[in-house]
Amino acid sequence: MQPGVVFAQDYQYMCSEAGQNIIKDAIKTHGLTGVVVCSCSPRMHEATFRKAAAQAGLNPFMVEIANIREHCSWIHKDKEEGTEKACVLMRAAVAKVTLNAPLKAGESKVVKRALVIGGGIAGIQTALDIADAGFPVDIVEKNATIGGRMAQLDKTFPTLDCSSCILTPKMVEAKANENIRLITYAEVEEVSGFVGSFKAKIRKKARFVKEDVCTGCGVCMSKCPSKKGLNEFNMGLNNRSAIYIPFAQAIPNVAVIDKEQCIKLKTGKCGLCQKVCTAGAIDYTQQDEFIEEEYGAIVMATGFRPIDASKFDEYSYSTCKDVVTSLELERIMNAAGPTGGVLLRPSDGKHPHSIVFIQCVGSRDVSGRGKPYCSKICCMYTAKHAMLIRDKYPDVEVHVFYIDVRTPGKNFDEFYRRAAEQYDVDYIKGQVGKVYEENGQLVVRGVDLISNEQIVLNADMVVLATAIEPDPTARKVANMLTASIDTNDFITEAHPKLRPVESPTAGIFLSGVCQGPKDIPETVSQAGAAASKVIGLLAKDKLTTNPCVAHSDELLCNGCSCCEKVCPYSAISYETKLINDHGVKETRRVAMVNEALCQGCGACTVVCPSGAMDLKGFSNKQIMAEVDAICL
Amino acid sequence: MSVNADWKPRIVAFCCNWCSYAGADLAGSSRLAYPADVKIIREPCSCRVNPMFILKAFERGADGVILCGCHPGDCHYSTGNYYTRRRMALLFSMLDYIGVERGRTRVEWVSAAEGAKFSRVMNDFVAQIRELGENVKVGDLRCKE
Ligand SMILES: Cc1cc2nc3c(=O)[nH]c(=O)nc-3n(C[C@H](O)[C@H](O)[C@H](O)COP(=O)(O)OP(=O)(O)OC[C@H]3O[C@@H](n4cnc5c(N)ncnc54)[C@H](O)[C@@H]3O)c2cc1C
Ligand code: SF4
Ligand code: SF4
């Protein structure tokens, strides 16, 4: 028998109830301090055997499995050779188990409250689902209202239903739900802690209007003399007053003062809005407020913005008023938009007769000016725009320049074909080289790649389907949450296929376009998935942490910071403390592993130059003992 | 070739738990044979494998060491195998320097779905080690004449 082994027994079905009882009995009768099960893969039954050991009073981490089925009997035809190998695998497991130390899965608390950063459709849906499950949620939205980009859209593909008709009820629901607290006009400033107990500091910017007093009547807006602010909601296509409610269905329906534009706040004169507000809601002395709160889970839902089209000189976006982006067109087509929903071109307010759409502006662009990725939604919304225009104004000629039309999705290709076939939209496979103005006429020059011919079109309006990019705050927020982010500033998922709504950082979840380009149906399903992950987490009273975590030996650590740099979970920090080094007392900076954050990859153990870092359950000694047993 | 007729290669395979170990399990359940000379050690991640383990394995008498992990970009811990890749590149030049043939060490990316690849890689690696023959134990030269 192998040194250390005091009892051995074979049984055909070790994982069965009877087999497990053999193990339990042996532990009790022989007072075993370790168990090796020679059986199938530990990926199958490690948990079963650990549980059995625990039931017999042995620490579950004192169990090792020798995989003699998948890694041996099933693949080696020669019985003698196979048996010999099985013995080696058993010896390796025994050698390891004698060095195992009892481990205790740590426990950490779960604060039963979630934070959602970003109040677009993604954030709203995630919050509603979490709230429905009975957990309190805070939505922090940087704008004065929730709703995000979807609130700006006119109709939505592939069904062509009105965007606000389907969004507004959800916004109202978010406001009414007693489990949801809306913290608008606010940004998260600091986050600390880890899964189960994050702490966040939120700055609620001064609105100069008391949120609980304002009735949203809007009288102030009509009386405000400072009316030259760009209306962000309408993509700057018209102006708004210094005190404003972003749009009619805004939630909360409360005014806000733009402090850069307000005469009173800049010069001390005016104060008209205060005079006309019968509710007495205006407060010019309001200060930023800070809210500090603890959360068990955090969801990032910071969404996107269209890229700046003026980077692409060839399309003359900054010089020609009638060259607009698709999001601007959404506002022009919207009944609540700057033209009341009538298609009028911005330069002179005339009805256009010919419109050219250019797809992939800044998408799939490896030149460095744009984005290397496909923005995914532009083919579909361009088909939508083309169809809506042809439907409402059959006299308008519509041309679309495209590189490829990409329409995977339920009813998507049918939708595009309807635009091309039923609505006679002229799809041209090709690229546009230049858009310019000639004698007051917009001219579009391009190539038709199928006929290989130059094309010159006169247009009354040109619409650029600009790429979308993550919100500019995404990187800052991700850094604050120690969530990883890719080179395009989209938040990285824990696993691209199997854990698409989790960040690799435990307790941080992803919802909506901040993870990658997607349309509303996809955003909503991802939002629901993120919510269910959050609910699963908040439903727990305690989190058990994986006990196979890194641990640094204070006496060996020299505080060099090597380990901190390689840890993908930011689990390592440093503490300056009094160390008793064999009688010599010294204050030193040493590495500390946060066991709730460490996932046990072991990257730090290898990088540590002083040999201080080791991994519990897979220690240097244990692994070397296995190597020895194999090479013996 | 080896002079010892009874010689059988000793091969240590370090496999990460999430991809390659599972790939080996799949090779097993698909009955895709490879020589019994390969013995697998389970690791949480390929980045847990200290190059020292590999040097020590050669010191203890291993004839070949293979390290398997998730494909780059697919690491369970997102970045582990990138570290592995760099560390192993350095280790290769060191092994070269101390006179262990390049063919005795290998890094392979095997996913949990690649049972067939696992088996193919192991067959190939064992054949290569057989070709190279018995390894001269890497000794610790300190305090020796
Ligand atoms: C022109 C155009 C047309 C489209 N048409 C359609 C269509 O017809 N059908 C369809 O399915 N999809 C369409 N889409 C796509 C759709 O707009 C998106 O899928 C959807 O808006 C994504 O929602 P989101 O919540 O992820 O992001 P967003 O809508 O961008 O919401 C993000 C929210 O987070 C807030 N935020 C950002 N950073 C912070 C921060 N640091 N702190 C606090 N809050 C923050 C933002 O202010 C915003 O309110 C279209 C998109 C465009 C550009
Ligand atoms: S084992 Fe991995 S996760 Fe844990 S502290 Fe080390 S590097 Fe970080
Ligand atoms: S790498 Fe090692 S020595 Fe350096 S700080 Fe980390 S534990 Fe300490």
Side-chain angles (χ1 to χ4, degrees):
Chain A
M1 246 190 301
Q2 207 47 30
V5 178
V6 294
F7 176 79
Q9 157 107 51
D10 79 306
Y11 185 71
Q12 185 146 23
Y13 299 109
M14 218 58 198
C15 56
S16 69
E17 187 85 29
Q20 291 184 48
N21 285 336
I22 294 177
I23 298 176
K24 290 187 210 169
D25 289 344
I27 292 173
K28 288 184 197 146
T29 15
H30 300 278
L32 303 180
T33 55
V35 171
V36 168
V37 187
C38 301
S39 63
C40 61
S41 171
R43 295 171 52 87
M44 283 294 281
H45 278 304
E46 188 173 58
T48 316
F49 295 125
R50 281 187 172 163
K51 209 162 135 201
Q55 282 162 357
L58 181 67
N59 182 285
F61 294 90
M62 302 306 284
V63 176
E64 286 295 330
I65 314 284
N67 182 346
I68 60 166
R69 188 175 76 171
E70 283 86 346
H71 291 189
C72 192
S73 68
W74 275 357
I75 37 169
H76 306 316
K77 289 261 153 50
D78 184 323
K79 280 205 172 141
E80 206 172 308
E81 251 184 23
T83 310
E84 215 175 285
K85 174 168 171 181
C87 293
V88 174
L89 296 180
M90 177 275 291
R91 271 207 302 271
V94 171
K96 183 178 183 193
V97 86
T98 50
L99 295 166
N100 280 21
L103 299 179
K104 195 168 172 333
E107 274 188 349
S108 56
K109 69 167 178 177
V110 181
V111 176
K112 298 192 178 268
R113 172 182 284 275
L115 169 64
V116 174
I117 306 177
I121 179 62
I124 295 174
Q125 188 62 49
T126 300
L128 283 173
D129 288 351
I130 298 171
D132 269 353
F135 296 108
V137 202
D138 290 351
I139 299 181
V140 172
E141 165 58 55
K142 69 172 175 182
N143 287 338
T145 172
I146 57 169
R149 296 288 171 199
M150 189 176 166
Q152 293 178 290
L153 306 181
D154 179 39
K155 306 279 186 305
T156 56
F157 65 74
T159 44
L160 294 183
D161 37 4
C162 136
S163 189
S164 36
C165 308
I166 54 177
L167 176 67
T168 333
K170 285 204 182 281
M171 292 166 62
V172 172
E173 216 182 314
K175 167 96 179 142
N177 193 310
E178 52 193 25
N179 276 331
I180 299 180
R181 171 166 64 158
L182 298 179
I183 309 175
T184 50
Y185 214 47
E187 268 176 72
V188 179
E189 296 239 303
E190 271 171 44
V191 176
S192 60
F194 45 85
V195 56
S197 58
F198 294 104
K199 266 201 192 72
K201 186 172 166 194
I202 300 155
R203 177 194 289 269
K204 194 163 165 38
K205 292 171 278 186
R207 273 178 183 263
F208 306 103
V209 175
K210 292 179 210 148
E211 216 176 302
D212 45 351
V213 179
C214 171
T215 61
C217 69
V219 172
C220 51
M221 290 161 65
S222 55
K223 293 287 188 289
C224 173
S226 171
K227 292 222 185 315
K228 288 268 182 278
L230 282 188
N231 186 338
E232 301 89 350
F233 183 71
N234 282 337
M235 300 306 293
L237 290 168
N238 63 356
N239 295 331
R240 57 150 175 78
S241 45
I243 186 164
Y244 67 101
I245 296 174
F247 54 97
Q249 301 94 331
I251 299 280
N253 193 5
V254 170
V256 50
I257 296 181
D258 181 338
K259 66 176 177 199
E260 301 305 323
Q261 194 192 333
C262 168
I263 305 166
K264 171 82 182 169
L265 290 171
K266 295 217 102 164
T267 67
K269 299 195 187 89
C270 186
L272 253 176
C273 51
Q274 194 169 43
K275 287 186 200 121
V276 298
C277 177
T278 48
I282 315 288
D283 173 7
Y284 300 114
T285 63
Q286 209 176 57
Q287 299 284 321
D288 289 3
E289 254 178 71
F290 290 94
I291 299 172
E292 285 187 35
E293 188 67 76
E294 281 194 44
Y295 301 99
I298 302 181
V299 182
M300 228 182 125
T302 47
F304 71 99
R305 66 170 182 188
I307 64 166
D308 178 9
S310 57
K311 275 198 281 197
F312 304 90
D313 298 338
E314 65 269 39
Y315 303 131
S316 305
Y317 174 75
S318 24
T319 47
C320 302
K321 274 192 149 178
D322 294 333
V323 179
V324 300
T325 68
S326 300
L327 198 51
E328 288 165 10
L329 183 70
E330 292 279 349
R331 295 315 303 149
I332 293 174
M333 311 255 286
N334 190 273
T339 55
V342 186
L343 181 64
L344 301 174
R345 59 181 200 182
S347 63
D348 55 7
K350 283 200 183 128
H351 174 70
H353 294 281
S354 155
I355 301 186
V356 173
F357 285 85
I358 305 174
Q359 291 197 173
C360 286
V361 173
S363 293
R364 306 169 68 194
D365 178 343
V366 286
S367 73
R369 285 194 308 165
K371 304 288 174 181
Y373 52 82
C374 163
S375 294
K376 200 170 180 180
I377 51 176
C378 329
C379 288
M380 281 300 285
Y381 70 58
T382 300
K384 168 184 79 174
H385 292 156
M387 201 187 297
L388 287 171
I389 290 174
R390 292 279 302 150
D391 188 61
K392 207 164 165 192
Y393 311 98
D395 63 302
V396 180
E397 239 178 67
V398 174
H399 310 273
V400 178
F401 279 91
Y402 68 98
I403 306 179
D404 296 296
V405 173
R406 297 179 164 181
T407 49
K410 195 166 160 182
N411 296 326
F412 281 16
D413 203 57
E414 294 87 327
F415 184 85
Y416 150 66
R417 282 208 309 270
R418 231 170 93 206
E421 290 160 13
Q422 205 171 319
Y423 284 94
D424 264 339
V425 174
D426 174 31
Y427 271 84
I428 306 163
K429 186 176 174 74
Q431 269 166 315
V432 170
K434 206 169 171 52
V435 176
Y436 56 96
E437 213 176 295
E438 203 172 54
N439 309 324
Q441 172 69 57
L442 269 183
V443 184
V444 179
R445 256 178 198 283
V447 199
D448 183 329
L449 287 176
I450 291 173
S451 64
N452 236 338
E453 275 167 27
Q454 283 269 355
I455 296 189
V456 184
L457 290 170
N458 282 349
D460 294 334
M461 260 177 98
V462 171
V463 184
L464 308 178
T466 42
I468 58 175
E469 65 183 359
D471 189 274
T473 61
R475 185 162 283 272
K476 196 181 89 199
V477 177
N479 286 344
M480 211 155 47
L481 301 175
T482 67
S484 9
I485 189 161
D486 67 22
T487 48
N488 295 315
D489 280 7
F490 287 114
I491 313 302
T492 316
E493 52 280 24
H495 189 287
K497 287 142 231 152
L498 302 177
R499 294 170 68 197
V501 298
E502 294 156 81
S503 141
T505 305
I508 308 291
F509 302 88
L510 322 173
S511 177
V513 179
C514 68
Q515 179 260 343
K518 47 180 76 67
D519 55 28
I520 298 161
E522 252 190 293
T523 298
V524 171
S525 29
Q526 200 202 19
S532 72
K533 290 283 171 193
V534 170
I535 295 163
L537 173 62
L538 298 189
K540 293 184 180 141
D541 290 322
K542 289 253 182 305
L543 294 176
T544 41
T545 51
N546 163 25
C548 296
V549 290
H551 174 78
S552 96
D553 183 336
E554 289 176 351
L555 293 182
L556 292 177
C557 174
N558 65 25
C560 65
S561 294
C562 294
C563 52
E564 181 195 22
K565 292 190 193 107
V566 297
C567 179
Y569 305 99
S570 308
I572 303 171
S573 56
Y574 296 86
E575 197 170 288
T576 305
K577 60 190 273 193
L578 191 67
I579 308 279
N580 185 341
D581 190 348
H582 303 91
V584 184
K585 289 196 178 136
E586 245 187 336
T587 309
R588 287 191 211 150
R589 179 177 187 267
V590 291
M592 302 282 291
V593 177
N594 183 328
E595 301 201 342
L597 291 179
C598 173
Q599 305 288 312
C601 67
C604 56
T605 60
V606 180
V607 88
C608 174
S610 33
M613 260 306 170
D614 210 347
L615 191 66
K616 293 182 191 168
F618 294 92
S619 70
N620 293 331
K621 279 198 177 136
Q622 286 173 305
I623 296 168
M624 278 320 298
E626 289 177 272
V627 171
D628 277 351
I630 291 170
C631 297
L632 209 74
Chain B
M1 272 303 260
S2 164
V3 263
N4 181 354
D6 294 337
W7 174 73
K8 275 195 190 138
R10 291 185 178 91
I11 294 171
V12 179
F14 292 105
C15 292
C16 81
N17 181 49
W18 307 97
C19 291
S20 308
Y21 194 93
D25 280 358
L26 183 61
S29 42
S30 323
R31 311 297 198 274
L32 300 164
Y34 53 88
D37 308 320
V38 178
K39 316 280 182 334
I40 296 171
I41 297 180
R42 182 161 72 132
E43 304 288 350
C45 175
S46 61
C47 76
R48 172 65 188 99
V49 178
N50 196 320
M52 280 304 285
F53 299 163
I54 296 172
L55 284 172
K56 288 238 165 93
F58 284 126
E59 189 191 7
R60 306 291 209 262
D63 298 299
V65 179
I66 181 162
L67 170 52
C68 303
C70 310
H71 286 268
D74 284 353
C75 174
H76 180 77
Y77 306 97
S78 63
T79 49
N81 50 8
Y82 294 137
Y83 293 122
T84 307
R85 192 159 63 178
R86 292 192 186 183
R87 286 171 188 160
M88 291 303 287
L90 290 176
L91 180 71
F92 286 147
S93 52
M94 168 155 188
L95 286 169
D96 208 27
Y97 178 72
I98 60 175
V100 176
E101 295 96 330
R102 177 67 183 76
R104 292 192 187 276
T105 331
R106 202 189 265 194
V107 184
E108 287 281 355
W109 312 126
V110 181
S111 80
E114 293 175 328
K117 177 171 182 190
F118 189 86
S119 167
R120 196 171 62 240
V121 162
M122 291 307 154
N123 275 305
D124 186 69
F125 188 59
V126 174
Q128 187 173 323
I129 299 298
R130 288 199 175 131
E131 189 69 30
L132 286 166
E134 203 166 347
N135 190 19
V136 187
K137 260 194 202 176
V138 175
D140 186 344
L141 294 179
R142 286 175 303 182
C143 310
K144 282 188 189 150
E145 277 132 325

